[in-house]
Amino acid sequence: MGENTPPVTAVIPFYNEVKTVAGIAERTAKYVDHVVVVDDGSTDGSAETLSGLDVHIVRHPVNRGKGASLLSGIEAARRLGSEFVISIDADGQHPPEYIPELLKKAEAETLVIGARKSTADPMPSIRRFGNRTANFFISWASGCWIHDTQCGFRIYPVSLINRVPLHRQRRSGFVMESEVLIEACRAGYSIASVPVPALYASVLQRPSHFRPGFDVTAIVFMVGAKLLSRAMYFPGLIRCQKQRLHATAQEAILN
Ligand SMILES: Nc1nc2c(ncn2[C@@H]2O[C@H](COP(=O)(O)OP(=O)(O)OP(=O)(O)O)[C@@H](O)[C@H]2O)c(=O)[nH]1
Ligand SMILES: [Mg+2]
């Protein structure tokens, strides 16, 4: 990276991504100081496709989930001396070519999220509905409007992970990526959004690992518990909806 840019590590957690993980790691390496790939007990030969690439490999002997893999990768990034971690999916849905755009917003007390915008490759409607619902409730519990709470293309300041309390039983699965937003906002971090394309049919080469029953239930229980613990946190609802209206008005002016 540039002389004055703090060191950046990309973390790519993956589970059975034999067709795509090596290509994503190679494309990502052009934009960061280090690439850490976290093999979460893959059984399809994904790890073999990485041989010869200039990447750090963290292995989980058995599958522990995306959240646990992100945390292992962030720990590896800390040991490499990085201040920022870029998380990126291994299935090709996040174009690494957008990393420089996300990096422009990187700051010590900011979590940057790639906010997926509609493209010619539309998100399945059930997924779009789920994302909108998640955005509403997670933004409420966070007390700030978050355009895309479910996108895993993000920049985490490494310091954030030790400062925010993540529930022990919720550190492993997809729910971790939702909980960390709420806790980051509570800890005073701000959230910045950078528009990125939403890629679906054109890149996906295997069924989703996201289990709508299990993972959605885990997210609903987590958000419910956070809201109940703050007496429903109505000030958070009002604040995030004001911010949403403001953002919508700004968008209308720009278009
Ligand atoms: N480390 C780890 N990564 C996982 C696990 N499950 C999924 N992933 C990775 O997390 C990323 C997102 O998983 P997906 O199955 O694509 O889930 P999604 O992107 O929310 O859902 P789709 O929009 O349907 O693709 C991919 O890079 C997966 O390889 C897991 O158990 N462990
Ligand atoms: Mg995916």
Side-chain angles (χ1 to χ4, degrees):
M1 298 296 92
E3 252 172 48
N4 300 318
T5 323
V8 178
T9 292
V11 170
I12 310 178
F14 70 94
Y15 177 58
N16 289 348
E17 300 285 10
V18 69
K19 292 188 180 155
T20 49
V21 65
I24 293 293
E26 253 184 316
R27 282 161 64 196
T28 299
K30 295 182 194 147
Y31 305 102
V32 294
D33 299 286
H34 305 284
V35 176
V36 170
V37 288
V38 186
D39 177 9
D40 196 25
S42 296
T43 53
D44 67 345
S46 305
E48 286 72 39
T49 67
L50 296 165
S51 66
L53 294 187
D54 184 14
V55 294
H56 303 261
I57 303 182
V58 175
R59 284 185 213 284
H60 291 174
V62 291
N63 182 255
R64 291 172 50 197
K66 189 179 182 193
S69 305
L70 278 171
L71 292 171
S72 298
I74 292 170
E75 183 48 38
R78 186 199 311 282
R79 279 190 252 113
L80 289 165
S82 288
E83 282 178 40
F84 295 104
V85 160
I86 298 191
S87 63
I88 182 161
D89 281 1
D91 62 352
Q93 282 183 291
H94 305 152
E97 293 68 29
Y98 276 73
I99 289 173
E101 286 303 307
L102 268 71
L103 279 174
K104 283 183 195 163
K105 300 242 173 157
E107 280 188 45
E109 306 258 304
T110 301
L111 202 160
V112 185
I113 307 182
R116 292 164 294 179
K117 53 181 191 218
S118 314
T119 55
D121 192 6
M123 195 180 279
S125 47
I126 180 77
R127 184 52 66 89
R128 197 165 49 238
F129 172 75
N131 284 350
R132 280 195 187 151
T133 310
N135 291 346
F136 177 82
F137 285 102
I138 293 170
S139 296
W140 177 358
S142 302
C144 80
W145 179 247
I146 303 171
H147 294 265
D148 188 352
T149 57
Q150 299 305 297
C151 185
F153 193 16
R154 299 178 176 182
I155 299 182
Y156 295 97
V158 170
S159 62
L160 166 81
I161 297 301
N162 272 1
R163 280 180 56 190
V164 300
L166 295 173
H167 194 285
R168 210 157 16 98
Q169 281 155 355
R170 291 196 291 257
R171 293 169 72 95
S172 54
F174 282 99
V175 65
M176 174 267 179
E177 288 175 299
S178 295
E179 183 172 25
V180 77
L181 298 178
I182 298 172
E183 291 300 337
C185 289
R186 277 194 189 180
Y189 283 77
S190 56
I191 308 282
S193 293
V194 173
V196 297
L199 302 176
Y200 273 84
S202 62
V203 296
L204 284 187
Q205 307 208 16
R206 51 120 186 101
S208 181
H209 296 310
F210 188 87
R211 294 157 295 174
F214 179 85
D215 292 308
V216 171
T217 307
I219 294 172
V220 167
F221 273 94
M222 181 274 293
V223 175
K226 302 270 179 211
L227 287 174
L228 285 173
S229 74
R230 297 183 97 180
M232 296 314 286
Y233 194 31
F234 289 113
L237 176 62
I238 294 164
R239 191 165 351 117
C240 79
Q241 287 305 316
K242 275 189 181 162
Q243 290 175 2
R244 184 180 69 84
L245 290 173
H246 181 71
T248 312
Q250 292 288 102
E251 262 168 43
I253 291 167
L254 290 174
N255 293 329

